């Protein structure tokens, strides 16, 4: 549970995925219902596979199930067009989608190969299968296990267009997660800002309401890009004026929610636009009506006060993304992936809001700062060389080198339980040099250093050198044996030296090549 709490605390978006039996839960079903995480996380007791069924069989079970089948087919149809029309590399048709219906059953779509345990394949819908709820059994005990494949889960709404949009929205979150792991998408928001966001600030509410109306007006003006740009410039002016009153963390929360949930909602709307233009789709008018409903949310952005303030930025995010399509072209998506700018900044550039600022900056650079670029380049080069020298001094110091692998801790790194900010230096490439003092901690791990420590946050590794002299290493309370032979079994580890104090509830430790190698194991809490 500590691992889960740490994950929820540090994660700034709400999608949860498991690598084994990968599950994610959506926040929106009918009326944006929040589904229980337990429904997604528990595992299914073995059940025999059921006989195949057909689409008409499901229509007899529930009309809502029948509409979900239509939505699932639309996701498969739209998928091949998504990389060009929605986002580069995005293929929602390659992901399994599970539509849940309370005390009715589960519809699986986008599944290649034999239906998983407990599911009956639909004979007339490729890649789809159905599993009925077992009456009288707790619903949490009837959840789904789909080992080895990414999949998404959310509650069926009974509306084809909403189910289509929700499926694409949640699939986009999986893409974001993958891109973030590769450093190719900006981080999500700190959702805990909803605890302190100024919801009762009248001036802030008025500014948000006006922003929504201006974005709606800009969208309504299209394809007249000049008129849309004029409304966008007003939006940018109102937003930047309003955000100057906010705490910096609240402004970042807004911008990152738009990049996270807002662009996922853009995928929702773009999928509906593709469906609305599909002449082969009998319910394309339903898709068009859902697009209109999404746009209407902009006109009453501060309405629906029973819902989370966070949902506003779903709407402002998708609206800005649609306007960027019209005013900036597809290149804005590459900028988001590489640079991670706020949507409002991209939109300001596209609409000409920054023209005067750019003119003044260019004049200042020409008259007073022609040499600043070269001076900055030299300064950064010299700084890198100096920090590399400092790191080499630490690693080459006489004594016993201590390498600590903390990647098994939640988040793959230690918590900062004590730092000396005046002596904490960036070493480049995600590394930090704690030059004087550092206290690191985590579940089952506590370490305090009064010697320099190189902290590699990418690899989850701490490196320090204990000065020559007594080094005490205890494994399960007994001194560590001499080097050579097989590595000892894991256990509790205690390390003491001048300026070094390390306690690990579960770890592997050995002396190898003159170094002390310590690996912190998960589950030490």
């Amino acid at each position: 549970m500590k691992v889960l709490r740490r994950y929820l605390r540090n994660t700034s978006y709400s999608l949860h995925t498991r690598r084994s039996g990968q599950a994610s839960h959506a926040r929106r079903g009918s009326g944006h219902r929040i589904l229980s995480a337990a429904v997604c996380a528990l595992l299914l007791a073995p059940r025999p596979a059921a006989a195949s069924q057909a689409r008409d069989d499901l229509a007899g079970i529930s009309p809502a199930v029948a509409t979900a089948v239509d939505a699932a087919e639309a996701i498969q149809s739209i998928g091949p067009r998504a990389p060009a029309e929605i986002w580069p590399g995005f293929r929602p048709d390659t992901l399994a989608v599970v539509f849940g219906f309370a005390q009715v059953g589960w519809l699986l779509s986008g599944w290649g190969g034999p239906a998983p345990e407990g599911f009956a394949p639909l004979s007339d819908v490729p890649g789809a299968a159905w599993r009925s709820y077992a009456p009288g059994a707790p619903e949490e005990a009837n959840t789904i296990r789909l080992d080895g494949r990414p999949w998404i889960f959310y509650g069926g709404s009974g509306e084809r267009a909403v189910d289509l949009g929700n499926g694409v929205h949640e699939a986009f979150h999986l893409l974001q997660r993958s891109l973030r792991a590769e450093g190719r998408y900006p981080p999500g928001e700190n959702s805990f800002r909803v605890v302190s966001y100024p919801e009762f600030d009248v001036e802030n509410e008025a500014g948000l309401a006006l922003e929504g109306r201006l974005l709606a007006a800009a969208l309504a003006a299209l394809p007249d890009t000049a008129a849309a740009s004029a409304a966008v410039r007003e939006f940018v002016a109102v937003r930047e004026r309003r955000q100057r009153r906010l705490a910096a963390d609240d402004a970042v929360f807004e911008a990152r929610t738009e990049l996270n949930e807002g662009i996922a909602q853009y995928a929702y709307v773009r999928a509906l636009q593709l469906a609305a233009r599909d002449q082969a789709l009998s319910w394309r008018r339903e898709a068009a009506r859902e697009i209109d409903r999404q746009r209407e949310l902009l006109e009453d952005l501060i309405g629906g006060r029973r819902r989370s303030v966070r949902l506003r930025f779903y709407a402002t995010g998708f609206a800005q993304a649609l306007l960027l399509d019209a005013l900036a072209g597809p290149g804005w998506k590459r900028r988001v992936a590489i640079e991670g700018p706020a949507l409002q900044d991209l939109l300001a550039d596209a609409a000409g809001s920054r023209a005067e600022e750019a003119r003044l900056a260019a004049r200042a650079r020409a008259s007073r700062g022609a040499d600043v670029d070269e001076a900055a380049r030299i300064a950064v080069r010299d700084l890198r060389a100096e920090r590399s020298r400092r790191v080499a001094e630490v690693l080459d110091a006489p004594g016993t080198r201590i390498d600590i692998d903390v990647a098994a801790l939640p988040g793959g790194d230690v918590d900062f339980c004590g730092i000396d900010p005046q002596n904490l230096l960036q070493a480049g490439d995600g590394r930090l040099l704690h030059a004087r003092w550092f206290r690191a901690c985590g579940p089952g791990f506590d370490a305090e250093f009064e010697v320099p420590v190189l902290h590699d946050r990418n690899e989850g590794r701490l490196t320090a050198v204990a000065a020559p002299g007594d080094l005490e290493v205890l494994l399960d309370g007994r001194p560590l044996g001499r080097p050579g032979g097989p590595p000892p079994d894991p256990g509790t580890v205690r390390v003491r030296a001048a300026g070094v104090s390390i306690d690990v509830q579960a770890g592997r430790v050995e002396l190898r090549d003159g170094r002390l190698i310590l690996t912190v194991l998960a589950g030490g809490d």
Side-chain angles (χ1 to χ4, degrees):
M1 287 303 296
K2 284 190 177 181
V3 172
L4 177 60
R5 287 196 296 271
R6 165 77 179 270
Y7 175 76
L8 293 175
R9 183 172 72 249
N10 291 342
T11 304
S12 51
Y13 57 93
S14 297
L15 181 70
H16 304 285
T17 304
R18 295 179 179 270
R19 276 290 159 205
S20 179
Q22 299 184 4
S24 65
H25 72 270
R27 293 151 302 288
R28 298 183 319 268
S30 178
H32 297 273
R33 291 182 294 113
I34 297 178
L35 301 180
S36 166
V39 173
C40 300
L42 297 176
L43 298 180
L44 170 69
R47 296 179 61 195
S52 64
Q53 295 179 286
R55 179 197 295 264
D56 290 344
D57 297 327
L58 299 191
I61 293 173
S62 167
V65 177
T67 60
V69 174
D70 292 340
E73 284 190 316
I75 292 174
Q76 296 301 305
S77 174
I78 288 168
R81 291 176 282 168
E85 300 281 355
I86 300 177
W87 201 268
F90 180 45
R91 285 293 301 267
D93 56 314
T94 63
L95 297 168
V97 179
V98 177
F99 301 83
F101 302 88
Q103 297 188 352
V104 177
W106 294 267
L107 174 69
L108 171 64
S109 71
W111 188 263
E117 183 179 38
F119 280 85
L122 296 188
S123 58
D124 50 354
V125 182
W130 172 255
R131 176 181 166 183
S132 293
Y133 170 72
E139 192 153 12
E140 288 80 5
N142 281 267
T143 50
I144 311 303
R145 178 166 62 189
L146 304 175
D147 289 329
R149 303 193 197 184
W151 59 287
I152 53 180
F153 173 97
Y154 60 91
S157 69
E159 299 179 47
R160 297 177 181 89
V162 173
D163 284 347
L164 166 60
N166 281 344
V168 172
H169 177 114
E170 298 305 330
F172 194 82
H173 277 314
L174 288 182
L175 174 67
Q176 288 171 320
R177 179 186 177 93
S178 174
L179 293 176
R180 284 188 181 113
E182 300 169 4
R184 296 193 294 123
Y185 199 88
E189 75 281 5
N190 176 6
S191 297
F192 280 89
R193 293 305 298 180
V194 300
V195 173
S196 57
Y197 187 86
E199 292 190 68
F200 299 99
D201 184 324
V202 173
E203 187 172 344
N204 191 62
E205 293 293 285
L208 273 167
L210 182 55
E211 289 170 26
R213 293 177 185 179
L214 289 168
L215 287 172
L219 287 173
L222 294 175
D224 184 341
T225 55
S229 294
V232 165
R233 288 193 292 272
E234 291 181 358
F235 160 76
V236 171
V238 170
R239 168 158 284 198
E240 292 184 345
R241 180 180 178 84
R242 177 183 64 80
Q243 287 185 335
R244 280 195 290 270
R245 296 180 64 252
L246 289 178
D249 286 346
D250 288 328
V252 171
F253 163 72
E254 292 184 355
R256 289 190 175 176
T257 305
E258 289 174 340
L259 285 167
N260 182 40
E261 296 289 1
I263 294 185
Q265 196 67 0
Y266 161 79
Y268 179 115
V269 173
R270 288 292 292 122
L272 290 169
Q273 289 177 334
L274 293 175
R277 296 199 300 264
D278 189 344
Q279 296 299 313
L281 198 63
S282 63
W283 49 276
R284 59 185 179 276
R285 291 183 181 177
E286 294 178 33
R289 286 195 294 270
E290 176 60 14
I291 295 170
D292 291 341
R293 190 184 72 82
Q294 290 294 319
R295 289 191 173 191
E296 288 167 2
L297 296 175
L298 295 166
E299 295 283 2
D300 187 22
L301 203 58
I302 63 173
R305 300 298 291 154
R306 290 175 294 177
R307 299 194 302 168
S308 169
V309 67
R310 186 168 171 267
L311 292 170
R312 299 170 176 182
F313 305 108
Y314 286 53
T316 56
F318 88 70
Q320 290 177 79
L322 289 175
L323 287 164
L324 283 167
D325 281 345
L327 302 181
W332 72 269
K333 298 173 184 177
R334 177 175 173 80
R335 287 193 62 189
V336 164
I338 295 175
E339 304 169 25
L343 294 181
Q344 66 198 56
D345 292 333
L346 291 174
L347 201 53
D349 289 341
S353 296
R354 302 284 190 258
E356 179 64 8
E357 173 187 307
R359 185 185 69 79
L360 291 172
R363 188 177 73 180
R365 183 178 290 270
S367 62
R368 301 186 183 184
D371 63 335
V372 294
D373 287 341
E374 179 62 13
R377 187 187 67 77
I378 293 172
V380 170
R381 181 199 64 194
D382 292 347
L383 180 63
R384 286 187 183 278
E386 166 62 15
R387 295 290 165 81
S388 295
R389 182 188 65 78
R390 293 283 298 272
V391 168
E393 283 182 352
V394 170
L395 298 181
D396 294 341
T400 302
R401 176 164 165 170
I402 304 173
D403 289 322
I404 311 170
D405 184 341
V406 295
L409 291 176
D413 195 13
V414 296
D415 287 329
F416 285 47
C417 291
I419 63 169
D420 177 357
Q422 294 294 94
N423 290 282
L424 174 53
L425 307 174
Q426 294 187 41
D429 301 322
R431 299 178 302 159
L432 301 174
L433 179 61
H434 302 268
R436 192 187 73 84
W437 177 75
F438 180 40
R439 184 176 171 216
C441 58
F445 177 79
D446 190 23
E448 186 169 2
F449 301 91
E450 295 180 10
V451 298
V453 179
L454 181 63
H455 181 186
D456 190 327
R457 305 194 72 192
N458 292 325
E459 297 295 329
R461 186 175 299 278
L462 304 174
T463 303
V465 176
D470 292 336
L471 173 67
E472 180 186 61
V473 183
L474 302 180
L475 177 61
D476 287 333
R478 295 184 296 275
L480 184 67
R482 294 180 178 277
D489 293 334
T492 62
V493 180
R494 172 187 167 97
V495 179
R496 294 293 186 271
V500 177
S501 174
I502 305 169
D503 290 284
V504 180
Q505 288 185 13
R508 290 190 178 93
V509 63
E510 60 178 311
L511 286 167
R512 185 195 315 154
D513 301 326
R515 299 182 181 184
L516 183 67
I517 311 296
L518 173 57
T519 302
V520 179
L521 303 179
D525 56 333

